[in-house]
Every structure is written in C-alpha cells, then in structure tokens.
Amino acid sequence: MLTGDSYADRPRPRMTPLVMVVSCRPIRFLGSFLQQGTQQASKFQLHTGTPCAAKDYYEFLVLGGGSGGITMSSRIKKKVGAGKVAIVEPSEKHFYQPIWTLVGAGAKKLSSSSRSMEKVIPSGVEWIKSRVRELDPDKNRIRIDEGKEIAYKYLIIALGIKLEFEKIKGLPEGFRYPKIGSNYSLVTVEKTWKALQGFKEGNAIFTFPNTPIKCAGAPQKIMYLADAYLRKTGKRENANIIFNTSLGAIFGVKKYAEALEEIIKARNINVNYRQNLIEVLPEKHEAVFEDLDNPGKTNVISYEMLHVTPPMGPPDVVKDSPVADAAGWVDVNKETLQHQKYPNVFGIGDCTNLPTSKTAAAVAAQSGILDHTISLVMKNKKPVKKYNGYTSCPLVTNYNRVILAEFDYNAQPLETFPFDQSKERLSMYIMKADMMPILYWNAMLKGYWNGPARLRSLLHLGRL
Ligand code: FAD
Ligand code: UQ1
C-alpha cells in the first residue's frame, strides 16, 4: 500500500467500448492511497445511484467527489433536476478530513471520517467512477480513464490538492517504520497515534512544508494534542517538543498568532522558523531540515516521534491544462469563482487559486457564492455575489479546548460568536469535534450550508 504505486503508471488495457465495461458493482483496486490522500484509484467503470448509464454529454460535469464536488452537485441538482449532472470521482469512499486531526491524537476513530461515495452522491446525480485524465475547455470536454471523452455545457472543478510526500527524500517508504506518521493521509493518520502512544523519551518533531497546504493550522494542532497526551501520561518531562516550520510566523492572522505564541511559551514548546523538512532517515530516526534563510545549510535532528505535513501542489490534471494559472491552480475570479478565461467553467476549494486558507469551512462559504454565480451565468447575466475569502480553522489546543480562528482575504478576524474566539474554549472544542461533523454530513453536503455568515449577523445584532 505504501509503494507509491499508481494506477496512472500501470500498463493500460486496450480501449473497450464503453457499454462493455459498465457495471453496477464497484471493482476494488488498491492504488496510490498515500500519494493522493483521499483518493482510491479504481478500474474505470461507470456507476450511478440508480440505473447504470453512460452518456457522452452532461449539462453539468462536476470533477471530484470531495467536499466541494458533493456540495456543488447537490446544489446544481436542485437547480436543473435529475439526469443532468454527473460527478467524476474514482474513490469508493468520501472522507471528512477535518476529523483526522483527532484520529491522529486517538480522540476519534478513523472509521468515523468516511461514508461510502454512493451514499453521499445525491440521487439523480450520476457517478462516473473514474479518474479525470485531461481537461479540454476549448472544446468543452474532458477525458477520463480508458480515453473516454465526455462533453459538458458547464464544468465545476473540485479536484482538491495533491499530497507530495515523495518530494521528501526517504518518503513515502519511510512510513513503513515506526515513530513516524502524518494526519494528512488516510494511510498514515493512525500511525501518528501509534507513534504518540509508543513515545518514551526524546524529540517529538512536527513539520510544516514550504508549499501551500490545506488547513494550515493542522500541522500545529497535532503538536498541542501530543503535548497534552504526554502530560497526561507523565512523559512530558522526557519530551522535547519541536515545531519546525518553513514559515516565518506561527499563524497568518495576528490576533490568533499572539494567542498561540502564549500557549507555546506556557507549554515549553520549541519553534524554529524557516526550517523545511527535506529528508527522513527512518532507520536512524533522523530528520533533515534545510535552513531557508541560509542556502546550503542543513540541520539534522533525531526523533522519538515525527509528524510530517507533506509538501502539496495542484493536481497534475489541472496543472497541465489550459484552466491553470502560472502556478498550476484553477484560475478563478476571487469574488465569483467563475474561471477567468472560460465563462462556463467554475472552480471551488483546494484546487483553486483563491487567495485564502484552504479549508472545508472556506468550501462551505464558496458553495453559496458559486450557487449564485451559476444561477446568473445560466441566465446569461453577470455574477454579482462576492466572496470575501471567509475561511475558518478550529485550532485544537487540547483534548477539550479550541481557539476558533475565522478570517477573510485580508487576514482580518471575521468571528461568528459574540465572544473573543482567540481564547481556548471547551464550547468550541465540542463544536469542532461533535457538531461540525453533523453539520457537514447532513447540511453542507446536501447543499444547505453556506458557512456561518447569517448566524454571525444574527449573533452580532446585539452589538450594533
Ligand atoms: P477534497 O475534499 O480533498 O476532494 C477532492 C476530491 O477530488 C477527492 O475526492 C479526490 O479523490 C478527487 N480527485 C482528485 N483527483 C482526481 C481526478 N484526477 N479525477 C477525479 N477525481 C479526483 N478544513 C476545515 O474546514 N476545518 C478543519 O478543521 C480542517 N482540518 C483538516 C485537517 C486535516 C488533517 C486535513 C487533511 C484537512 C483538513 N481540512 C479542514 C481541510 C479540508 O478537508 C479541505 O480543505 C477540503 O476537504 C477541501 O475540499 P475539496 O473539495 O477542495 O477537496
Ligand atoms: C464550517 O462552516 C465548516 O464547514 C462545514 C467547518 O469545516 C469542518 C469548520 O471547521 C467550521 C469552523 C465552520 C464554521 C462554522 C461555524 C458555526 C463557526
């Protein structure tokens, strides 16, 4: 499972006429779990909630069945009705990734993070159980596995972000050894908890890479939880907790950065800025960091536990296509989410170049905006609703405490609740650990959650 083996690299069978390979029963295929994080590559097949049918054209094609893809397919299906929307997604399971922080700390079970893809795809939306291979927006069509082409009137791209463990020397093979884990992948998240439980004495190292990542708070959330766990089990005195980050600050929003700095001081955590993990030597339990401010200088640190946040980048199929900007992300208007060049193409979530923190909370807010944008574009009108960059990061600082960071494009706090959210609170932990998953599965994925903007207005009425 940890070979980095990819379906893309395998010899392909000769192309078979589509009708010959249509099947309602999913064929399991163990592919590159680790590389893709949430993706399970599978043999090409078409799969729908109701009858299995293959079409060459859909009014709406949604690429990716993650947070953005499922949410948007629910919303679009309500607009245009059954049979007109299809999702292209290879994975048999849909994952609620935000709970992986708590899985890595032993506070939730991994099984609680997933549902079968079939169950989350709305009825009346067809599931094309395949991988997108090529985008051809000039011809309004895409290509999937086996070379099959599908045309569309409107395209929604929600392909997420690509994990790039292989950019660190010694990984992903190094995950075969103990003492190392990563909350960012389905196959390594439980290894974090194993490493934490097995901790005896030495350095516990937590890393942050030199690329954009999803949920930029997650690399430090697991560190605070590890600190709490080691205190609870009487091992904290034997532990030196180190946060080695490529960034130059602990968090991008001043208000929350100041609160986190206090916690770091109080808990005796060592933070080293501008340190980027470049190699893991798992047999020697050593991690090698480059000093980003002193080119050529490296620091080697031995570890008793290592939590890796991998480098990340845009999915290859986006990067190599005309919808990408110079950095490889889907190039969308930052207020309307409509593509900058192709007016019938839209982007949502981690695969876009929206200049905000990549989170499911941001996807929720974006989905409300994109819903409006698409309604107007379908009527040949100009989109008007404007996304303000809302995103949120519940910074878990203990097994019963969260600082709820919420902010906009200008890195200004945009808080929902009428109290100071930079304080660690039990109520915000309960919201993160127990209420958010309910909201996600039952409201957001069904197209009923635009983020907390309305709730914020309501709760702040008393302040006006
Ligand atoms: P995803 O949900 O990742 O979906 C992308 C989908 O595209 C996947 O299903 C994938 O299989 C599919 N796909 C990829 N390539 C192809 C292809 N070629 N063809 C077809 N399908 C493809 N967010 C929060 O709001 N709060 C949090 O507390 C939080 N914590 C997090 C903690 C961790 C450890 C992690 C990993 C993430 C966390 N997030 C959090 C981030 C959140 O999960 C993501 O931002 C969100 O899932 C993004 O949604 P998306 O639709 O853009 O991508
Ligand atoms: C949110 O809307 C959301 O999307 C469902 C999350 O993703 C899991 C979040 O973590 C948070 C915090 C929000 C924001 C919601 C409220 C009620 C503040």
Side-chain angles (χ1 to χ4, degrees):
M1 227 198 277
L2 299 182
T3 56
D5 174 12
S6 154
Y7 181 60
D9 303 330
R10 292 179 171 240
R12 306 258 181 86
R14 277 192 51 216
M15 197 178 145
T16 322
L18 191 64
V19 285
M20 304 297 283
V21 292
V22 168
S23 156
C24 275
R25 239 175 337 125
I27 301 164
R28 283 181 188 276
F29 179 87
L30 294 180
S32 62
F33 281 136
L34 191 71
Q35 300 299 319
Q36 306 302 337
T38 59
Q39 301 161 25
Q40 291 166 264
S42 83
K43 275 202 158 189
F44 169 65
Q45 94 185 116
L46 278 167
H47 190 114
T48 68
T50 40
C52 293
K55 289 193 204 156
D56 295 334
Y57 168 83
Y58 292 89
E59 185 170 350
F60 275 90
L61 255 190
V62 179
L63 309 185
S67 307
I70 297 295
T71 300
M72 285 317 298
S73 70
S74 294
R75 288 172 177 269
I76 300 297
K77 192 298 200 79
K78 286 189 196 106
K79 255 187 242 305
V80 299
K84 294 184 171 172
V85 188
I87 295 186
V88 187
E89 166 63 61
S91 175
E92 276 177 19
K93 285 188 178 167
H94 176 103
F95 296 95
Y96 178 64
Q97 301 164 53
I99 218 68
W100 290 352
T101 291
L102 300 180
V103 174
K108 292 274 181 189
K109 290 264 172 280
L110 181 58
S111 56
S112 75
S113 73
S114 69
R115 301 270 191 283
S116 80
M117 192 60 73
E118 198 169 2
K119 287 229 166 80
V120 297
I121 291 181
S123 67
V125 171
E126 287 184 23
W127 177 14
I128 300 169
K129 192 172 183 299
S130 178
R131 184 169 288 278
V132 183
R133 294 288 176 190
E134 198 183 325
L135 306 178
D136 189 355
D138 291 302
K139 294 191 174 135
N140 295 324
R141 65 188 182 204
I142 64 154
R143 197 168 54 76
I144 57 171
D145 286 336
E146 315 291 319
K148 161 78 182 161
E149 287 185 349
I150 308 175
Y152 57 82
K153 186 168 181 191
Y154 301 105
L155 183 71
I156 299 174
I157 307 174
L159 290 167
I161 195 168
K162 186 178 159 228
L163 304 182
E164 296 177 330
F165 281 107
E166 70 284 357
K167 290 203 168 153
I168 297 165
K169 200 170 165 201
L171 297 184
E173 310 78 53
F175 282 108
R176 290 206 181 98
Y177 293 78
K179 300 182 190 291
I180 171 171
S182 175
N183 289 356
Y184 276 84
S185 163
L186 175 63
V187 281
T188 54
V189 57
E190 288 176 308
K191 290 209 73 217
T192 306
W193 176 224
K194 278 210 181 90
L196 191 51
Q197 285 175 296
F199 191 97
K200 291 192 177 73
E201 62 176 315
N203 294 323
I205 308 176
F206 300 82
T207 73
F208 192 115
N210 194 21
T211 64
I213 64 168
K214 55 183 154 187
C215 195
Q220 61 185 292
K221 295 179 200 179
I222 184 60
M223 172 179 75
Y224 301 125
L225 288 164
D227 170 75
Y229 177 80
L230 294 175
R231 284 177 198 276
K232 214 163 49 184
T233 51
K235 294 179 192 160
R236 182 62 178 91
E237 278 179 9
N238 307 328
N240 179 27
I241 298 187
I242 301 171
F243 189 54
N244 266 15
T245 169
S246 298
L247 301 178
I250 196 71
F251 202 73
V253 180
K254 192 163 166 272
K255 175 174 180 171
Y256 307 116
E258 285 171 0
L260 293 168
E261 277 160 11
E262 286 297 314
I263 291 171
I264 283 164
K265 211 158 88 189
R267 299 195 195 162
N268 199 19
I269 291 168
N270 296 301
V271 178
N272 302 307
Y273 293 108
R274 309 283 295 147
Q275 299 295 310
N276 181 36
L277 180 68
I278 52 169
E279 185 174 0
V280 176
L281 301 153
E283 287 177 14
K284 291 162 83 180
H285 305 140
E286 282 177 353
V288 184
F289 294 87
E290 62 175 341
D291 183 335
L292 295 169
D293 290 331
N294 290 296
K297 184 171 179 244
T298 54
N299 296 311
V300 182
I301 314 180
S302 67
Y303 62 82
E304 168 71 356
M305 170 185 178
L306 175 65
H307 179 267
V308 179
T309 299
M312 299 178 207
D316 293 338
V317 68
V318 170
K319 197 165 69 182
D320 304 335
S321 83
V323 304
D325 69 3
W329 307 98
V330 181
D331 191 13
V332 293
N333 180 298
K334 73 178 194 136
E335 291 180 334
T336 66
L337 279 64
Q338 186 176 30
H339 194 270
Q340 297 279 27
K341 189 169 154 207
Y342 302 100
N344 62 335
V345 176
F346 309 89
I348 186 166
D350 295 354
C351 66
T352 66
N353 63 358
L354 292 166
T356 193
S357 184
K358 296 178 186 298
T359 65
V363 170
Q366 291 162 18
S367 70
I369 302 290
L370 188 50
D371 194 324
H372 279 273
T373 293
I374 289 175
S375 290
L376 289 170
V377 171
M378 286 174 77
K379 292 177 196 146
N380 286 319
K381 289 188 181 157
K382 247 180 108 103
V384 285
K385 254 212 156 177
K386 292 182 177 169
Y387 178 47
N388 60 6
Y390 174 84
T391 189
S392 172
C393 187
L395 292 154
V396 186
T397 55
N398 208 322
Y399 282 85
N400 54 6
R401 291 289 181 273
V402 156
I403 286 175
L404 182 62
E406 292 181 282
F407 50 99
D408 64 11
Y409 275 140
N410 302 316
Q412 291 308 307
L414 199 56
E415 299 187 343
T416 300
F417 299 99
F419 47 69
D420 180 0
Q421 289 182 197
S422 69
K423 290 210 157 47
E424 297 176 270
R425 291 178 192 274
L426 171 63
S427 57
M428 295 296 98
Y429 181 88
I430 294 168
M431 193 210 59
K432 151 85 189 166
D434 303 317
M435 289 161 68
M436 272 304 130
I438 297 172
L439 182 79
Y440 181 83
W441 296 113
N442 300 298
M444 179 168 161
L445 292 188
K446 298 195 162 126
Y448 297 116
W449 176 244
N450 291 348
R454 280 205 191 128
L455 183 62
R456 183 172 61 242
S457 307
L458 198 71
L459 293 176
H460 287 260
L461 274 181
R463 281 180 160 193
L464 295 173

